[in-house]
Structures are given as C-alpha cells and as structure tokens.
Amino acid sequence: MHIADQDTGNLGANAIVAGSAGIATGAAMSAKMRGSKQIAVCFFGEGALGQGLLYEVMNMASLWKLPILYVCENNQYNEYTHYRETTAGDPVARAQAFGIETASIDGQDVGVVYSTMLRLAERARHGEGPAFIICDTYRYHGHHVGDINRSYYRSKQEEEEWKSKRDPLKLVAGRLKGQKIADEKALAKIEKEIRLEIETGVQFALDAPYPDPSEVDLHVYA
Ligand SMILES: Cc1ncc(C[n+]2csc(CCOP(=O)(O)OP(=O)(O)O)c2C)c(N)n1
C-alpha cells in the first residue's frame, strides 16, 4: 500500500484518509511557483469526502488556480458503509461550491477516464486551475485482508454483477474486439506481457533492501 517512487513523480501513498489531498496540493503549489508546467494528480476514496482537509485545500487550489486534479475513486463503500449513508447531497456539488471544474464519470470505462483526464490535465497545465473528478467504480475484494465475510454490508449478487457486467478490462477488451482492433490472440498476448511486468515489479520490491534506519528523519522538516 505505502509505495512511493519520487523519481517518476509518485510522491507516495499514506494511511491518512484525505492525507494525499494536502500533500498533492502542496506539490501543485510548488509546480506553479517553479513554473515547471507539472501538474499534481491526487487519488482518494469517497471516504475522504468527509474530511475537512479536502475542503481547505480545494479552496486554496481554486483561489490560486493550482495545477491539480482531485480524483475521487467512488467504489461505493467507505470500508463497510455505503457512501450514501455517510455523504449528504451530490459529491460533485462540494467542489462546485469552490468554483472548481467537475466531472462525474463511469470509472469502469477506460476510454471515458482517459479522455476526461486528458482534457482536465491540459486545462490545469495551461493555468486554468484545478478539477475534481468522481469516477464510479467498485472494490471486488474486502477493504482489508480480514474483510472476508462481506454479506452483512453487501450481497454476493451485487459483487458478481460488477464483475461480470462492468469489469473495466472486460469492457475495453470487448470494445477492442468489436472494433476489430484486437482479436483473442492479441488480447491474450497483452495480458501475458502485463502479468509478467507486474510479477517482475513484485519481485523487484521483494528483493529490495530495507531502508537504513538512518533515513528515518530524511526530508522531515521541524
Ligand atoms: C483520518 C483517518 N480517519 C480514519 C481512518 C480509518 N479508516 C481507514 S480506511 C477508512 C474508510 C475509507 O473509505 P474510502 O476512502 O471509501 O476507502 P475504501 O473503503 O474504498 O478503501 C477509514 C475511516 C484513517 N485511516 N484516517
């Protein structure tokens, strides 16, 4: 979960719900001050919509036209609670209140996600300010490894419907086949290559040395 790769611009995940919003907004401010033309993209679950930090930083980002995209992956459940039981009103209205550009999209549709992100990233890069995107999606598994019996908060049938009817990989594969861009064989090859890439990445992580204890206060400003 807590991976970071600063060489490629991944500033790291953290366990604080909405914590990434503060970090990413700081990064966007840094990019703007340095005139680097970089943008920050911040991913969080819909559980973060209940955190005050998000609203403090969206206010700043709008006022200062910071180059940042706030991407809310709405997988419907804040841990074990449906988001409708925790989140009043329309989630995008919360960003609109700050004068932020918004989009509410099907997060299972790779094409829609790509074109929306491209448009809003270009907009941010050209100094037109932040955007807030809600991507509707689903978490197939539990919130954590111990979340095995999920029947007390959602049905098996609901899980199966998302997997069989709305899986993003199946949808994009179906579209590629339908448009005769790729056949079964080509798709199988892509899948094999990606599986290998992931396995190589996992092995790289397992083989990596633990950080030296002397690094514990590296980059900590106090
Ligand atoms: C500030 C803070 N409060 C509470 C928690 C405990 N907590 C961990 S995950 C979670 C719910 C997050 O919901 P969501 O963002 O929808 O993530 P998902 O359940 O989809 O993984 C909570 C309350 C936390 N990590 N940070």
Side-chain angles (χ1 to χ4, degrees), residues 18-176:
S20 62
I23 295 166
T25 307
M29 188 170 165
S30 155
K32 180 160 186 168
M33 289 172 77
R34 289 178 292 114
S36 71
K37 294 280 176 208
Q38 291 167 298
I39 63 167
V41 185
C42 169
F43 299 91
F44 48 88
E46 80 289 349
L49 297 173
Q51 285 288 84
L53 171 67
L54 183 62
Y55 303 103
E56 295 177 48
V57 294
M58 285 203 295
N59 183 58
M60 288 179 193
S62 181
L63 283 173
W64 301 337
K65 281 196 180 305
L66 299 183
I68 179 161
L69 306 183
Y70 297 101
V71 183
C72 178
E73 293 176 300
N74 182 4
N75 65 14
Q76 318 298 312
Y77 294 89
N78 311 166
E79 286 183 309
Y80 328 111
T81 309
H82 197 275
Y83 84 100
R84 279 287 163 223
E85 291 176 48
T86 60
T87 312
D90 181 356
V92 290
R94 294 166 178 229
Q96 285 162 352
F98 296 105
I100 289 180
E101 179 81 12
T102 61
S104 189
I105 60 173
D106 179 358
Q108 307 294 91
D109 186 328
V110 175
V112 170
V113 172
Y114 180 76
S115 57
T116 306
M117 294 299 286
L118 199 60
R119 175 173 64 81
L120 296 172
E122 283 305 306
R123 197 180 157 276
R125 218 182 285 283
H126 288 102
E128 291 172 59
F132 179 89
I133 303 109
I134 298 234
C135 300
D136 265 327
T137 184
Y138 200 73
R139 150 160 66 70
Y140 289 164
H141 304 285
H143 171 80
H144 56 85
V145 285
D147 182 14
I148 296 161
N149 176 16
R150 298 183 286 282
S151 58
Y152 66 94
Y153 70 91
R154 67 191 200 187
S155 67
K156 273 245 176 305
Q157 187 195 345
E158 180 184 291
E159 292 186 358
E160 285 312 316
E161 279 189 11
W162 277 86
K163 283 184 199 169
S164 59
K165 295 187 189 148
R166 299 197 55 197
D167 180 82
L169 296 180
K170 285 184 189 159
L171 290 177
V172 77
R175 193 168 305 157
L176 292 174

